[in-house]
Amino acid sequence: MPRHSTRRRDAPDRVVPEVASLPADQRERRDRIVDAAVEMMIEVDYTDIQVKDIARRAGVALGTLYRYFGSKDHLMAEALLAWSSRFPADRAGTRAEGTDPATQVAAVYLTAAKAFERSPRVYGALMQVQASSDPRAAARFADFGHRQTAAFAGALDTLDDDIRDDVVVVMDAVLSEGLRRCQSGAVTRAVLRERIQRAAELLVSPARV
């Protein structure tokens, strides 16, 4: 996928404040914009999302929105991060006492797959933001990736550290590739679930754990 940005190459860089530096009223306004972006990301294909519509939904002027976000990609990267913040509690709920490791691993990644299945447009947004040339978007997307990896690892805390790290790397790849192929229509959701289950069984065998 080619790298892209929603801004012209010759556009001057926007200076946006650090979140920690904002007074409470401005932080609330910024949070409201991010919440509106999350709603739009779930409801509308990424290419059809207009920043002016996000501003309208958040109840702010377009100029106000651009005080906090340098571009559409930057804002949507923040929306992805906010959307992913729901995951750790959900994934913790997939664990059950006495489950074998393969079942545990599969349950964690099936939960993630189902989250994208419930909101399929989110994965399209993820792919667009991942390809962005906006450095702010890239930085926040990296934070999104770190949070996802930490959530997966935390939900698999019954595995030994060295095994868990290997499992997370491989299962992340299985999930990402499966979601990409689902997005393109190359495989069905049922096939993705089967591949997650099979990968978990192959990775977390009795010989490894």
Side-chain angles (χ1 to χ4, degrees):
M1 182 182 294
R3 291 181 66 78
H4 74 286
S5 175
T6 53
R7 303 190 68 212
R8 301 193 321 270
R9 290 182 180 275
D10 60 348
D13 187 37
R14 293 189 179 100
V15 177
V16 298
E18 294 292 331
V19 178
S21 71
L22 296 174
D25 61 331
Q26 291 189 33
R27 190 174 300 189
E28 185 277 332
R29 189 178 303 129
R30 184 185 185 278
D31 290 345
R32 199 163 71 241
I33 294 168
V34 173
D35 289 343
V38 172
E39 293 173 2
M40 293 286 290
M41 179 177 66
I42 291 171
E43 297 170 8
V44 182
D45 288 341
Y46 189 89
T47 53
D48 294 330
I49 295 174
Q50 299 291 318
V51 177
K52 64 181 180 181
D53 294 332
I54 297 175
R56 185 180 302 114
R57 181 173 293 204
V60 302
L62 184 59
T64 299
L65 183 151
Y66 278 121
R67 290 178 191 170
Y68 306 112
F69 305 99
S71 68
K72 173 183 171 181
D73 286 350
H74 178 205
L75 172 54
M76 299 312 292
E78 294 282 359
L80 275 171
L81 199 57
W83 180 78
S84 71
S85 68
R86 310 168 184 176
F87 287 176
D90 288 347
R91 287 177 186 145
T94 65
R95 291 185 304 211
E97 293 294 331
T99 56
D100 64 273
T103 299
Q104 181 188 356
V105 170
V108 169
Y109 281 87
L110 286 169
T111 298
K114 289 174 184 177
F116 283 106
E117 288 173 7
R118 290 193 298 269
S119 305
R121 291 184 175 92
V122 172
Y123 192 72
L126 183 155
M127 294 178 70
Q128 293 290 329
V129 172
Q130 186 178 28
S132 177
S133 58
D134 182 327
R136 293 189 187 92
R140 297 309 276 162
F141 187 82
D143 291 339
F144 166 82
H146 294 327
R147 176 175 289 179
Q148 295 296 92
T149 298
F152 289 134
L156 300 176
D157 58 5
T158 59
L159 301 180
D160 291 341
D161 289 350
D162 57 339
I163 294 174
R164 183 179 65 234
D165 292 346
D166 290 345
V167 168
V168 169
V169 168
V170 176
M171 292 300 297
D172 279 0
V174 171
L175 175 64
S176 180
E177 175 63 10
L179 289 170
R180 186 189 67 79
R181 290 175 66 81
C182 278
Q183 186 80 10
S184 68
V187 300
T188 64
R189 294 173 182 177
V191 169
L192 171 57
R193 294 190 198 107
E194 290 173 3
R195 289 180 178 176
I196 289 172
Q197 186 72 51
R198 183 59 177 153
E201 293 169 355
L202 290 170
L203 279 170
V204 195
S205 65
R208 293 208 67 199
V209 298

mmCIF file of all heavy atoms in Angstrom, residues 95-137:
data_model
loop_
_atom_site.group_PDB
_atom_site.id
_atom_site.type_symbol
_atom_site.label_atom_id
_atom_site.label_comp_id
_atom_site.label_asym_id
_atom_site.label_seq_id
_atom_site.Cartn_x
_atom_site.Cartn_y
_atom_site.Cartn_z
ATOM 1 N N ARG A 95 -10.622 -15.314 29.575
ATOM 2 C CA ARG A 95 -9.893 -16.335 30.318
ATOM 3 C C ARG A 95 -10.820 -17.067 31.274
ATOM 4 O O ARG A 95 -11.742 -16.497 31.828
ATOM 5 C CB ARG A 95 -8.748 -15.688 31.111
ATOM 6 C CG ARG A 95 -7.656 -15.155 30.215
ATOM 7 C CD ARG A 95 -6.499 -14.629 31.029
ATOM 8 N NE ARG A 95 -6.925 -13.610 31.978
ATOM 9 C CZ ARG A 95 -6.163 -12.614 32.355
ATOM 10 N NH1 ARG A 95 -4.962 -12.483 31.876
ATOM 11 N NH2 ARG A 95 -6.604 -11.737 33.230
ATOM 12 N N ALA A 96 -10.536 -18.303 31.483
ATOM 13 C CA ALA A 96 -11.318 -19.084 32.440
ATOM 14 C C ALA A 96 -10.376 -20.042 33.156
ATOM 15 O O ALA A 96 -9.434 -20.569 32.563
ATOM 16 C CB ALA A 96 -12.423 -19.859 31.729
ATOM 17 N N GLU A 97 -10.630 -20.236 34.412
ATOM 18 C CA GLU A 97 -9.794 -21.139 35.185
ATOM 19 C C GLU A 97 -9.825 -22.541 34.588
ATOM 20 O O GLU A 97 -10.889 -23.051 34.229
ATOM 21 C CB GLU A 97 -10.282 -21.189 36.634
ATOM 22 C CG GLU A 97 -10.102 -19.877 37.390
ATOM 23 C CD GLU A 97 -8.647 -19.517 37.585
ATOM 24 O OE1 GLU A 97 -7.818 -20.463 37.662
ATOM 25 O OE2 GLU A 97 -8.325 -18.318 37.638
ATOM 26 N N GLY A 98 -8.637 -23.132 34.474
ATOM 27 C CA GLY A 98 -8.562 -24.507 34.028
ATOM 28 C C GLY A 98 -8.532 -24.703 32.520
ATOM 29 O O GLY A 98 -8.439 -25.831 32.060
ATOM 30 N N THR A 99 -8.627 -23.615 31.724
ATOM 31 C CA THR A 99 -8.572 -23.789 30.273
ATOM 32 C C THR A 99 -7.151 -24.116 29.858
ATOM 33 O O THR A 99 -6.188 -23.610 30.440
ATOM 34 C CB THR A 99 -9.047 -22.527 29.540
ATOM 35 O OG1 THR A 99 -8.267 -21.410 29.975
ATOM 36 C CG2 THR A 99 -10.509 -22.268 29.794
ATOM 37 N N ASP A 100 -7.009 -24.943 28.819
ATOM 38 C CA ASP A 100 -5.675 -25.282 28.348
ATOM 39 C C ASP A 100 -5.100 -24.100 27.577
ATOM 40 O O ASP A 100 -5.837 -23.233 27.105
ATOM 41 C CB ASP A 100 -5.727 -26.530 27.470
ATOM 42 C CG ASP A 100 -6.528 -26.309 26.217
ATOM 43 O OD1 ASP A 100 -7.766 -26.493 26.262
ATOM 44 O OD2 ASP A 100 -5.937 -25.919 25.196
ATOM 45 N N PRO A 101 -3.766 -24.007 27.433
ATOM 46 C CA PRO A 101 -3.140 -22.841 26.812
ATOM 47 C C PRO A 101 -3.618 -22.566 25.391
ATOM 48 O O PRO A 101 -3.826 -21.413 25.024
ATOM 49 C CB PRO A 101 -1.648 -23.201 26.833
ATOM 50 C CG PRO A 101 -1.501 -24.102 28.008
ATOM 51 C CD PRO A 101 -2.770 -24.916 28.029
ATOM 52 N N ALA A 102 -3.784 -23.593 24.565
ATOM 53 C CA ALA A 102 -4.218 -23.376 23.183
ATOM 54 C C ALA A 102 -5.606 -22.749 23.144
ATOM 55 O O ALA A 102 -5.872 -21.839 22.344
ATOM 56 C CB ALA A 102 -4.216 -24.696 22.415
ATOM 57 N N THR A 103 -6.499 -23.206 24.011
ATOM 58 C CA THR A 103 -7.846 -22.635 24.075
ATOM 59 C C THR A 103 -7.789 -21.185 24.523
ATOM 60 O O THR A 103 -8.503 -20.315 24.004
ATOM 61 C CB THR A 103 -8.721 -23.445 25.045
ATOM 62 O OG1 THR A 103 -8.824 -24.790 24.559
ATOM 63 C CG2 THR A 103 -10.112 -22.840 25.160
ATOM 64 N N GLN A 104 -6.922 -20.891 25.475
ATOM 65 C CA GLN A 104 -6.765 -19.529 25.971
ATOM 66 C C GLN A 104 -6.268 -18.601 24.862
ATOM 67 O O GLN A 104 -6.808 -17.506 24.655
ATOM 68 C CB GLN A 104 -5.785 -19.510 27.139
ATOM 69 C CG GLN A 104 -5.575 -18.123 27.741
ATOM 70 C CD GLN A 104 -4.455 -18.100 28.764
ATOM 71 O OE1 GLN A 104 -3.888 -19.136 29.071
ATOM 72 N NE2 GLN A 104 -4.147 -16.928 29.266
ATOM 73 N N VAL A 105 -5.215 -19.028 24.151
ATOM 74 C CA VAL A 105 -4.660 -18.217 23.068
ATOM 75 C C VAL A 105 -5.717 -17.972 21.993
ATOM 76 O O VAL A 105 -5.919 -16.842 21.530
ATOM 77 C CB VAL A 105 -3.416 -18.889 22.466
ATOM 78 C CG1 VAL A 105 -2.983 -18.184 21.188
ATOM 79 C CG2 VAL A 105 -2.276 -18.905 23.472
ATOM 80 N N ALA A 106 -6.392 -19.024 21.581
ATOM 81 C CA ALA A 106 -7.415 -18.886 20.544
ATOM 82 C C ALA A 106 -8.518 -17.938 20.993
ATOM 83 O O ALA A 106 -8.983 -17.091 20.211
ATOM 84 C CB ALA A 106 -7.996 -20.256 20.195
ATOM 85 N N ALA A 107 -8.941 -18.058 22.253
ATOM 86 C CA ALA A 107 -10.025 -17.211 22.752
ATOM 87 C C ALA A 107 -9.651 -15.741 22.708
ATOM 88 O O ALA A 107 -10.461 -14.881 22.325
ATOM 89 C CB ALA A 107 -10.390 -17.614 24.176
ATOM 90 N N VAL A 108 -8.414 -15.416 23.084
ATOM 91 C CA VAL A 108 -7.963 -14.024 23.080
ATOM 92 C C VAL A 108 -7.993 -13.447 21.668
ATOM 93 O O VAL A 108 -8.498 -12.344 21.434
ATOM 94 C CB VAL A 108 -6.540 -13.927 23.673
ATOM 95 C CG1 VAL A 108 -5.939 -12.549 23.431
ATOM 96 C CG2 VAL A 108 -6.575 -14.230 25.167
ATOM 97 N N TYR A 109 -7.480 -14.188 20.712
ATOM 98 C CA TYR A 109 -7.407 -13.668 19.337
ATOM 99 C C TYR A 109 -8.751 -13.738 18.622
ATOM 100 O O TYR A 109 -9.043 -12.906 17.754
ATOM 101 C CB TYR A 109 -6.284 -14.374 18.568
ATOM 102 C CG TYR A 109 -4.939 -13.799 18.934
ATOM 103 C CD1 TYR A 109 -4.235 -14.277 20.027
ATOM 104 C CD2 TYR A 109 -4.412 -12.723 18.232
ATOM 105 C CE1 TYR A 109 -3.021 -13.714 20.407
ATOM 106 C CE2 TYR A 109 -3.205 -12.155 18.592
ATOM 107 C CZ TYR A 109 -2.516 -12.653 19.686
ATOM 108 O OH TYR A 109 -1.324 -12.079 20.064
ATOM 109 N N LEU A 110 -9.582 -14.682 18.971
ATOM 110 C CA LEU A 110 -10.933 -14.703 18.420
ATOM 111 C C LEU A 110 -11.736 -13.506 18.911
ATOM 112 O O LEU A 110 -12.549 -12.938 18.171
ATOM 113 C CB LEU A 110 -11.636 -16.012 18.787
ATOM 114 C CG LEU A 110 -11.154 -17.248 18.026
ATOM 115 C CD1 LEU A 110 -11.735 -18.511 18.662
ATOM 116 C CD2 LEU A 110 -11.530 -17.174 16.548
ATOM 117 N N THR A 111 -11.496 -13.102 20.159
ATOM 118 C CA THR A 111 -12.158 -11.913 20.684
ATOM 119 C C THR A 111 -11.763 -10.681 19.891
ATOM 120 O O THR A 111 -12.602 -9.840 19.545
ATOM 121 C CB THR A 111 -11.801 -11.704 22.174
ATOM 122 O OG1 THR A 111 -12.274 -12.826 22.922
ATOM 123 C CG2 THR A 111 -12.434 -10.438 22.723
ATOM 124 N N ALA A 112 -10.473 -10.561 19.564
ATOM 125 C CA ALA A 112 -10.006 -9.431 18.757
ATOM 126 C C ALA A 112 -10.613 -9.474 17.360
ATOM 127 O O ALA A 112 -11.052 -8.445 16.830
ATOM 128 C CB ALA A 112 -8.488 -9.453 18.670
ATOM 129 N N ALA A 113 -10.645 -10.660 16.751
ATOM 130 C CA ALA A 113 -11.230 -10.788 15.413
ATOM 131 C C ALA A 113 -12.699 -10.390 15.424
ATOM 132 O O ALA A 113 -13.179 -9.697 14.509
ATOM 133 C CB ALA A 113 -11.059 -12.221 14.911
ATOM 134 N N LYS A 114 -13.419 -10.796 16.459
ATOM 135 C CA LYS A 114 -14.837 -10.464 16.552
ATOM 136 C C LYS A 114 -15.059 -8.968 16.709
ATOM 137 O O LYS A 114 -16.050 -8.419 16.226
ATOM 138 C CB LYS A 114 -15.485 -11.234 17.704
ATOM 139 C CG LYS A 114 -15.635 -12.724 17.420
ATOM 140 C CD LYS A 114 -16.143 -13.477 18.644
ATOM 141 C CE LYS A 114 -16.211 -14.979 18.385
ATOM 142 N NZ LYS A 114 -16.632 -15.730 19.598
ATOM 143 N N ALA A 115 -14.117 -8.290 17.403
ATOM 144 C CA ALA A 115 -14.232 -6.839 17.551
ATOM 145 C C ALA A 115 -14.176 -6.163 16.181
ATOM 146 O O ALA A 115 -14.952 -5.243 15.903
ATOM 147 C CB ALA A 115 -13.107 -6.310 18.449
ATOM 148 N N PHE A 116 -13.291 -6.620 15.325
ATOM 149 C CA PHE A 116 -13.212 -6.064 13.972
ATOM 150 C C PHE A 116 -14.399 -6.511 13.121
ATOM 151 O O PHE A 116 -14.845 -5.774 12.238
ATOM 152 C CB PHE A 116 -11.898 -6.463 13.305
ATOM 153 C CG PHE A 116 -10.715 -5.673 13.793
ATOM 154 C CD1 PHE A 116 -9.786 -6.246 14.646
ATOM 155 C CD2 PHE A 116 -10.531 -4.354 13.406
ATOM 156 C CE1 PHE A 116 -8.690 -5.514 15.101
ATOM 157 C CE2 PHE A 116 -9.444 -3.614 13.851
ATOM 158 C CZ PHE A 116 -8.516 -4.198 14.707
ATOM 159 N N GLU A 117 -14.898 -7.711 13.373
ATOM 160 C CA GLU A 117 -16.082 -8.169 12.640
ATOM 161 C C GLU A 117 -17.298 -7.304 12.973
ATOM 162 O O GLU A 117 -18.115 -7.006 12.098
ATOM 163 C CB GLU A 117 -16.377 -9.631 12.976
ATOM 164 C CG GLU A 117 -15.378 -10.608 12.366
ATOM 165 C CD GLU A 117 -15.609 -12.034 12.850
ATOM 166 O OE1 GLU A 117 -16.627 -12.266 13.540
ATOM 167 O OE2 GLU A 117 -14.777 -12.909 12.548
ATOM 168 N N ARG A 118 -17.414 -6.902 14.242
ATOM 169 C CA ARG A 118 -18.530 -6.040 14.642
ATOM 170 C C ARG A 118 -18.402 -4.643 14.033
ATOM 171 O O ARG A 118 -19.413 -3.974 13.800
ATOM 172 C CB ARG A 118 -18.607 -5.928 16.170
ATOM 173 C CG ARG A 118 -19.048 -7.195 16.884
ATOM 174 C CD ARG A 118 -19.395 -6.906 18.341
ATOM 175 N NE ARG A 118 -18.249 -6.414 19.091
ATOM 176 C CZ ARG A 118 -17.400 -7.196 19.759
ATOM 177 N NH1 ARG A 118 -17.582 -8.509 19.761
ATOM 178 N NH2 ARG A 118 -16.391 -6.685 20.429
ATOM 179 N N SER A 119 -17.169 -4.230 13.801
ATOM 180 C CA SER A 119 -16.920 -2.892 13.242
ATOM 181 C C SER A 119 -15.940 -3.023 12.076
ATOM 182 O O SER A 119 -14.769 -2.617 12.172
ATOM 183 C CB SER A 119 -16.343 -1.967 14.322
ATOM 184 O OG SER A 119 -17.179 -1.915 15.452
ATOM 185 N N PRO A 120 -16.388 -3.594 10.949
ATOM 186 C CA PRO A 120 -15.455 -3.896 9.855
ATOM 187 C C PRO A 120 -14.778 -2.671 9.252
ATOM 188 O O PRO A 120 -13.669 -2.769 8.728
ATOM 189 C CB PRO A 120 -16.343 -4.606 8.828
ATOM 190 C CG PRO A 120 -17.740 -4.195 9.163
ATOM 191 C CD PRO A 120 -17.768 -4.022 10.643
ATOM 192 N N ARG A 121 -15.432 -1.516 9.326
ATOM 193 C CA ARG A 121 -14.817 -0.319 8.750
ATOM 194 C C ARG A 121 -13.582 0.116 9.541
ATOM 195 O O ARG A 121 -12.721 0.817 9.009
ATOM 196 C CB ARG A 121 -15.827 0.826 8.692
ATOM 197 C CG ARG A 121 -16.948 0.605 7.681
ATOM 198 C CD ARG A 121 -17.848 1.823 7.599
ATOM 199 N NE ARG A 121 -18.853 1.670 6.566
ATOM 200 C CZ ARG A 121 -20.065 1.170 6.775
ATOM 201 N NH1 ARG A 121 -20.411 0.769 7.999
ATOM 202 N NH2 ARG A 121 -20.925 1.062 5.789
ATOM 203 N N VAL A 122 -13.499 -0.303 10.797
ATOM 204 C CA VAL A 122 -12.350 0.076 11.613
ATOM 205 C C VAL A 122 -11.070 -0.488 11.021
ATOM 206 O O VAL A 122 -10.030 0.173 11.008
ATOM 207 C CB VAL A 122 -12.531 -0.375 13.075
ATOM 208 C CG1 VAL A 122 -11.254 -0.157 13.879
ATOM 209 C CG2 VAL A 122 -13.687 0.375 13.717
ATOM 210 N N TYR A 123 -11.128 -1.718 10.508
ATOM 211 C CA TYR A 123 -9.908 -2.285 9.938
ATOM 212 C C TYR A 123 -9.503 -1.542 8.674
ATOM 213 O O TYR A 123 -8.319 -1.361 8.409
ATOM 214 C CB TYR A 123 -10.059 -3.779 9.647
ATOM 215 C CG TYR A 123 -8.713 -4.415 9.348
ATOM 216 C CD1 TYR A 123 -7.797 -4.611 10.378
ATOM 217 C CD2 TYR A 123 -8.339 -4.764 8.060
ATOM 218 C CE1 TYR A 123 -6.540 -5.152 10.129
ATOM 219 C CE2 TYR A 123 -7.087 -5.304 7.798
ATOM 220 C CZ TYR A 123 -6.201 -5.501 8.833
ATOM 221 O OH TYR A 123 -4.944 -6.015 8.593
ATOM 222 N N GLY A 124 -10.475 -1.076 7.896
ATOM 223 C CA GLY A 124 -10.153 -0.254 6.736
ATOM 224 C C GLY A 124 -9.457 1.029 7.152
ATOM 225 O O GLY A 124 -8.480 1.466 6.519
ATOM 226 N N ALA A 125 -9.939 1.647 8.234
ATOM 227 C CA ALA A 125 -9.287 2.851 8.756
ATOM 228 C C ALA A 125 -7.878 2.531 9.230
ATOM 229 O O ALA A 125 -6.932 3.302 9.010
ATOM 230 C CB ALA A 125 -10.118 3.436 9.893
ATOM 231 N N LEU A 126 -7.724 1.389 9.898
ATOM 232 C CA LEU A 126 -6.405 0.972 10.374
ATOM 233 C C LEU A 126 -5.415 0.877 9.214
ATOM 234 O O LEU A 126 -4.286 1.364 9.305
ATOM 235 C CB LEU A 126 -6.534 -0.367 11.093
ATOM 236 C CG LEU A 126 -5.288 -0.970 11.749
ATOM 237 C CD1 LEU A 126 -5.709 -1.897 12.885
ATOM 238 C CD2 LEU A 126 -4.443 -1.750 10.752
ATOM 239 N N MET A 127 -5.829 0.274 8.119
ATOM 240 C CA MET A 127 -4.933 0.113 6.975
ATOM 241 C C MET A 127 -4.548 1.466 6.380
ATOM 242 O O MET A 127 -3.403 1.675 5.954
ATOM 243 C CB MET A 127 -5.594 -0.770 5.921
ATOM 244 C CG MET A 127 -5.798 -2.214 6.379
ATOM 245 S SD MET A 127 -6.640 -3.242 5.144
ATOM 246 C CE MET A 127 -5.365 -3.361 3.887
ATOM 247 N N GLN A 128 -5.492 2.401 6.346
ATOM 248 C CA GLN A 128 -5.207 3.726 5.809
ATOM 249 C C GLN A 128 -4.242 4.496 6.711
ATOM 250 O O GLN A 128 -3.285 5.111 6.239
ATOM 251 C CB GLN A 128 -6.508 4.511 5.646
ATOM 252 C CG GLN A 128 -7.448 3.958 4.588
ATOM 253 C CD GLN A 128 -6.930 4.154 3.169
ATOM 254 O OE1 GLN A 128 -6.226 5.116 2.891
ATOM 255 N NE2 GLN A 128 -7.280 3.246 2.281
ATOM 256 N N VAL A 129 -4.495 4.457 8.001
ATOM 257 C CA VAL A 129 -3.639 5.185 8.935
ATOM 258 C C VAL A 129 -2.248 4.576 8.961
ATOM 259 O O VAL A 129 -1.233 5.282 9.043
ATOM 260 C CB VAL A 129 -4.262 5.204 10.343
ATOM 261 C CG1 VAL A 129 -3.292 5.789 11.352
ATOM 262 C CG2 VAL A 129 -5.563 6.007 10.341
ATOM 263 N N GLN A 130 -2.176 3.262 8.882
ATOM 264 C CA GLN A 130 -0.882 2.580 8.877
ATOM 265 C C GLN A 130 -0.012 3.050 7.716
ATOM 266 O O GLN A 130 1.217 3.083 7.823
ATOM 267 C CB GLN A 130 -1.097 1.066 8.790
ATOM 268 C CG GLN A 130 0.168 0.244 8.921
ATOM 269 C CD GLN A 130 -0.127 -1.241 8.879
ATOM 270 O OE1 GLN A 130 -1.105 -1.680 8.265
ATOM 271 N NE2 GLN A 130 0.689 -2.026 9.553
ATOM 272 N N ALA A 131 -0.631 3.424 6.600
ATOM 273 C CA ALA A 131 0.111 3.849 5.413
ATOM 274 C C ALA A 131 0.380 5.351 5.376
ATOM 275 O O ALA A 131 0.990 5.848 4.432
ATOM 276 C CB ALA A 131 -0.665 3.452 4.153
ATOM 277 N N SER A 132 -0.043 6.083 6.390
ATOM 278 C CA SER A 132 0.069 7.535 6.371
ATOM 279 C C SER A 132 1.515 8.005 6.457
ATOM 280 O O SER A 132 2.339 7.423 7.160
ATOM 281 C CB SER A 132 -0.730 8.144 7.531
ATOM 282 O OG SER A 132 -0.577 9.546 7.561
ATOM 283 N N SER A 133 1.803 9.096 5.764
ATOM 284 C CA SER A 133 3.120 9.723 5.859
ATOM 285 C C SER A 133 3.143 10.844 6.889
ATOM 286 O O SER A 133 4.167 11.492 7.079
ATOM 287 C CB SER A 133 3.538 10.280 4.491
ATOM 288 O OG SER A 133 2.585 11.223 4.019
ATOM 289 N N ASP A 134 2.016 11.077 7.560
ATOM 290 C CA ASP A 134 1.959 12.083 8.614
ATOM 291 C C ASP A 134 2.706 11.544 9.832
ATOM 292 O O ASP A 134 2.322 10.516 10.393
ATOM 293 C CB ASP A 134 0.497 12.377 8.965
ATOM 294 C CG ASP A 134 0.340 13.461 10.023
ATOM 295 O OD1 ASP A 134 1.211 13.570 10.907
ATOM 296 O OD2 ASP A 134 -0.658 14.182 9.976
ATOM 297 N N PRO A 135 3.770 12.209 10.281
ATOM 298 C CA PRO A 135 4.547 11.656 11.412
ATOM 299 C C PRO A 135 3.745 11.559 12.700
ATOM 300 O O PRO A 135 3.991 10.658 13.513
ATOM 301 C CB PRO A 135 5.722 12.633 11.544
ATOM 302 C CG PRO A 135 5.292 13.880 10.843
ATOM 303 C CD PRO A 135 4.370 13.438 9.750
ATOM 304 N N ARG A 136 2.801 12.462 12.922
ATOM 305 C CA ARG A 136 1.979 12.362 14.127
ATOM 306 C C ARG A 136 1.083 11.128 14.064
ATOM 307 O O ARG A 136 0.898 10.429 15.059
ATOM 308 C CB ARG A 136 1.132 13.626 14.304
ATOM 309 C CG ARG A 136 1.913 14.896 14.605
ATOM 310 C CD ARG A 136 0.977 16.027 14.979
ATOM 311 N NE ARG A 136 1.674 17.287 15.113
ATOM 312 C CZ ARG A 136 1.832 18.167 14.143
ATOM 313 N NH1 ARG A 136 1.328 17.920 12.948
ATOM 314 N NH2 ARG A 136 2.485 19.300 14.356
ATOM 315 N N ALA A 137 0.521 10.882 12.899
ATOM 316 C CA ALA A 137 -0.307 9.687 12.730
ATOM 317 C C ALA A 137 0.536 8.432 12.925
ATOM 318 O O ALA A 137 0.102 7.468 13.567
ATOM 319 C CB ALA A 137 -0.963 9.685 11.353
#
